[in-house]
Amino acid sequence: MNILLTGATGYIGKRLLPLLVAQGHHVICCVRDKDRFYLPENLIDKVQVIEVDFLNQESLSAIPNEIDAAYYLIHSMSGSAKNYDELEYASAMNFVDRMNLTQVKQVIYLSGIVNDTILSKHLASRKAVEDVLKTGLFAITTLRAGIIVGSGSASFEIIRDLVNKLPVMITPKWLNTKCQPIAISDVLDFLMGSLHQPETYDQNFDIGGPDILTYKEMLLGFAQAAGLKRYIYTVPVMTPKLSSYWLYFVTSTTYKLAAALVSSMKVEVVCKDNRINALLGVVPMTYNEAVARALVKIDKDDIVSSWKDAMISGQFTGSVADYLKVPKKNCFIDRRKKEILNRSYTTERIWSIGGETGWYYGDWLWEIRGFLDKLVGGVGLRRGRTNKHDIHSGDVLDFWRVLYANKKEGKLVLYAEMKLPGEAWLEFKIIHNTLYQAATFKPHGFWGKLYWYSVLPFHGFIFEGMINKLIKK
């Protein structure tokens, strides 16, 4: 079939795409920016990529009419705008209007469990989107999930951060709230199994694993799987705002995402109707099994997608093309070049930079800069990177966003997402037997210039040491 996949660059979309292709479907991927959408070579000839912004009705004309089914995977738990719920509503309305003009027979929507009369803003927004989709001229299948457990999922990475970093936790009382987590592989089974299944048309289903756990039990369960001894004490005095800041400073999450999660975690998300398990023949795995599988994926550096690579994890706005041409006029530039001894060695070093590997020289200074960035509301260094040795356009790399990554060419361009009085780029290029390294800063006014000169003494130390480490074993 011809399948329309929205949210193709997201955590779920990236994992669903190869499964749809493997079943022989032709997939039309909707992305806002083609330059930040990486396709493996084995999928290029089997996928059509179109640029669509569902807040821009004119862009929806790129969607072909010959569509059999569509996946609606557009969510914004922590959009930059305070009125993200209104934007999600508008996106859904525009989607329905366009789908009504196509041949689509079924739309599958991944939503959140909404079995409480008092919903958080983000769960209420998902329910509102579901109501909009029901007005379409097509059949709608809604799958409602709670916490998704898998390598790279926002919830799982927060759990991992908390357990790995804090032997003792003083936590808010919402950690005693119950939820029904589900493994990412089971979510994908339900999404695939619902496709072209008339029994699922115009219905909604709760999907979850067999375990009903408190968030505290989930943290302790992860600790046990990771072989760590952890102690958790809950107190009633932590306000939602304080809880959000607690998550923000301890984990890799953004403050806005932390606030959205805290708001949702006060509401129980337990499945009421799991008849879809028998309908599709899916037997969801336990929480312990899901955690164990996720840890194996992380150990093998086999993480297909991560929430950190989504635009909501940082300060990046616009398209990659808008930033790819590094400016020279009215900029401060630190340029260095060195003759390389082994091109393959230097390339691998560049492609492994950041994350757990670090920046090869003066890591403690990078860590201080990341901490200061967190203090002023930036992303800090904790996002790391999705894969240890693999980088693609659009990925995050600590407090940078990857604009361009071509390993054969030996060129990597990064854009700073830290809080700055200006804009910054970091480039690496290998031409013949020479490595060229450039740090470019475009200041915004007086404070930008002051910032550059205040950090200038450290540049000779950091950047010279880094380029030397990139060329020498």
Side-chain angles (χ1 to χ4, degrees), residues 101 104 116 135 169 235 267 301 351 380-381 421 461:
L101 299 177
V104 69
D116 200 297
T135 66
M169 295 180 228
V235 293
V267 180
D301 194 28
W351 252 250
L381 281 179
F461 176 74

Side-chain angles (χ1 to χ4, degrees), residues 105-288:
K105 300 177 183 64
Q106 179 193 23
V107 169
I108 301 173
Y109 172 50
L110 181 62
S111 183
I113 295 177
V114 288
N115 58 7
D116 200 297
T117 54
I118 302 175
L119 298 175
S120 67
K121 182 179 178 180
H122 122 254
L123 286 177
S125 177
R126 292 196 175 185
K127 180 61 169 63
V129 168
E130 181 181 330
D131 292 338
V132 171
L133 296 178
K134 286 180 180 178
T135 66
L137 302 178
F138 43 79
I140 175 73
T141 300
T142 301
L143 303 177
R144 298 171 174 172
I147 295 294
I148 296 177
V149 181
S151 58
S153 82
S155 302
F156 179 80
E157 293 302 325
I158 287 174
I159 290 172
R160 186 159 73 108
D161 279 347
L162 289 172
V163 174
N164 286 341
K165 295 171 183 175
L166 300 176
V168 179
M169 295 180 228
I170 307 299
T171 63
K173 61 182 180 181
W174 51 255
L175 246 70
N176 291 321
T177 303
K178 293 181 179 179
C179 64
Q180 196 162 348
I182 181 170
I184 177 61
S185 58
D186 292 326
V187 173
L188 295 172
D189 283 346
F190 284 119
L191 286 169
M192 292 294 296
S194 299
L195 183 62
H196 201 51
Q197 284 291 338
E199 295 89 345
T200 69
Y201 289 2
D202 295 319
Q203 297 191 62
N204 58 70
F205 304 92
D206 292 346
I207 58 174
D211 303 310
I212 298 175
L213 306 168
T214 65
Y215 292 105
K216 179 178 179 179
E217 289 171 332
M218 290 173 64
L219 287 166
L220 293 174
F222 180 94
Q224 184 178 18
L228 301 170
K229 188 69 174 178
R230 293 295 183 257
Y231 302 91
I232 302 176
Y233 304 96
T234 57
V235 293
V237 294
M238 293 185 76
T239 64
K241 191 168 187 178
L242 188 59
S243 299
S244 300
Y245 277 117
W246 178 70
L247 280 181
Y248 169 64
F249 279 109
V250 175
T251 72
S252 58
T253 185
T254 64
Y255 174 76
K256 288 176 182 175
L257 179 56
L261 289 170
V262 167
S263 176
S264 299
M265 287 175 176
K266 294 183 292 183
V267 180
E268 285 194 357
V269 283
V270 177
C271 299
K272 284 186 176 180
D273 176 11
N274 62 357
R275 57 197 166 91
I276 194 172
N277 294 16
L279 184 63
L280 300 183
V282 177
V283 181
M285 67 180 69
T286 66
Y287 174 71
N288 290 339

